[in-house]
Amino acid sequence: MTDLKSRFTGVFTALVTPFRDGTIDFDAFDALVERQLEAGVAGLVPVGTTGEAATLSDDEAEALIARTVALAKGRALVMAGAGANDTKKAVDKVRRAEKAGADAVLVVTPYYNKPPQSGLIAHYGAVASATTLPIMLYSVPGRCGVEIAPETCATLAGRHSNIVAIKEAGGSAARVTALRLACGPDFIIHSGDDGLTLPFLSLGAIGVTSVVANVAPDVMVAMVDAFQNGDTHKALKLHELVAELTDGMFIESNPGPVKAALAISNLAGPEMRLPMVPVSDANRERLAGILGRYASAASNFQEMR
């Protein structure tokens, strides 16, 4: 478990999927991944929520996972999004991710169905039995309408040795303590909310699955590293540096704002797949201002490192 925890420690970037004229822009994707690797992120998360997994075909998702694995070349752990609200489909997605070479899978709670906790136990049990890959549970009640109870998490971890982690995106730092008390200190916890990364780390989480890292991977890596190295003052300064940018990533539904920010920065296009659409003109202008202020503040970043 110690080695596994070390592999899940740090910043995991929830990668966007760039599109051009309705198809995946692989050239832009490759450049985005390389930028993340150069910044020293610990993990890459293709085909998650930020990657618009809901509107990707199975073949597109598998191709993106395989491409991420090939680009990473072992420099970062590849944790593929592999959730569905149909258990049979989730099992198939996990198997496809394993076939594509993923190191781990991120499996969101079934959305729309709103299963009871017993349903979550059965669902995740079927997924865990279908793969040998490490599984990170993903609790995001704001999108899925159901939260994984700490006791449910403990049951799953006790029954399935490959259920090793959770991405907690319920917006409450208190959940970290509840999960640690239920599951024990060796169970891996990631923050699923960029703005809560620092308080989550202070309570025992060991990493973040990050949206804002698409735009500012170096700062996110430096912040988490600073905290883990005991420099809480520096970690707080870096948290404050990226705070407005973090808020900006959620002025509309993810991944609209982060795609707009990448487009403003000439890193990828803003195109999305329906029913998602690019951010409003007013919010794009607002994001441009945020990025400008961030760039100015980050000019001192090298000194802070």
Side-chain angles (χ1 to χ4, degrees):
M1 178 62 79
T2 301
D3 179 62
L4 191 63
K5 286 188 76 170
S6 69
R7 298 186 72 202
F8 278 92
T9 297
V11 175
F12 281 46
T13 304
L15 297 166
V16 302
T17 301
F19 297 113
R20 183 185 292 274
D21 300 326
T23 60
I24 297 171
D25 185 346
F26 282 108
D27 289 340
F29 182 78
D30 291 357
L32 290 173
V33 169
E34 187 56 39
R35 182 169 178 263
Q36 296 298 317
L37 293 168
E38 289 176 359
V41 299
L44 299 165
V45 187
V47 299
T49 304
T50 307
E52 295 176 75
T55 52
L56 294 173
S57 71
D58 289 341
D59 288 343
E60 286 176 324
E62 190 171 336
L64 280 165
I65 296 166
R67 201 173 188 97
T68 308
V69 170
L71 291 165
K73 297 177 182 175
R75 290 180 287 170
L77 186 145
V78 176
M79 179 169 67
N85 70 334
D86 175 336
T87 302
K88 184 178 178 181
K89 289 180 181 177
V91 165
D92 181 63
K93 286 178 181 289
V94 166
R95 287 175 171 159
R96 280 175 169 264
E98 187 165 11
K99 176 185 173 185
D103 300 303
V105 286
L106 176 67
V107 183
V108 72
T109 53
Y111 36 87
Y112 185 76
N113 315 59
K114 294 183 72 173
Q117 296 299 306
S118 58
L120 292 180
I121 291 169
H123 173 79
Y124 280 115
V127 170
S129 297
T131 182
T132 60
L133 292 179
I135 294 170
M136 178 177 281
L137 310 175
Y138 182 12
S139 184
V140 55
R143 281 188 180 267
C144 296
V146 62
E147 184 172 66
I148 304 174
E151 296 76 17
T152 297
C153 189
T155 297
L156 288 167
R159 292 181 182 177
H160 306 280
S161 61
N162 57 336
I163 294 181
V164 299
I166 187 168
K167 176 185 175 184
E168 173 52 43
S172 170
R175 282 267 296 178
V176 178
T177 300
L179 287 163
R180 280 172 59 84
L181 291 174
C183 302
D186 287 334
F187 194 76
I188 296 162
I189 301 172
H190 268 206
S191 171
D193 296 291
D194 279 298
L196 290 176
T197 300
L198 200 52
F200 267 49
L201 293 173
S202 72
L203 292 168
I206 64 170
V208 56
T209 302
S210 172
V211 174
V212 76
N214 282 281
V215 180
D218 49 359
V219 176
M220 292 301 294
V221 168
M223 181 186 74
V224 174
D225 284 352
F227 182 87
Q228 290 166 342
N229 291 329
D231 193 343
T232 56
H233 176 75
K234 179 179 176 181
L236 180 58
K237 288 294 185 182
L238 290 166
H239 165 81
E240 291 170 345
L241 171 63
V242 81
E244 186 186 18
L245 181 61
T246 296
D247 289 343
M249 293 302 95
F250 301 95
I251 56 174
E252 289 188 21
S253 295
N254 179 46
V258 69
K259 278 199 157 182
L262 291 170
I264 292 166
S265 304
N266 296 314
L267 294 170
E271 185 177 327
M272 302 178 73
R273 282 186 173 170
L274 291 171
M276 300 300 291
V277 295
V279 300
S280 67
D281 290 343
N283 278 333
R284 190 183 189 282
E285 184 175 345
R286 182 178 169 190
L287 282 166
I290 291 171
L291 286 166
R293 289 188 292 276
Y294 169 74
S296 178
S299 63
N300 296 322
F301 173 64
Q302 291 302 325
E303 294 179 20
M304 296 178 71
R305 295 193 79 172

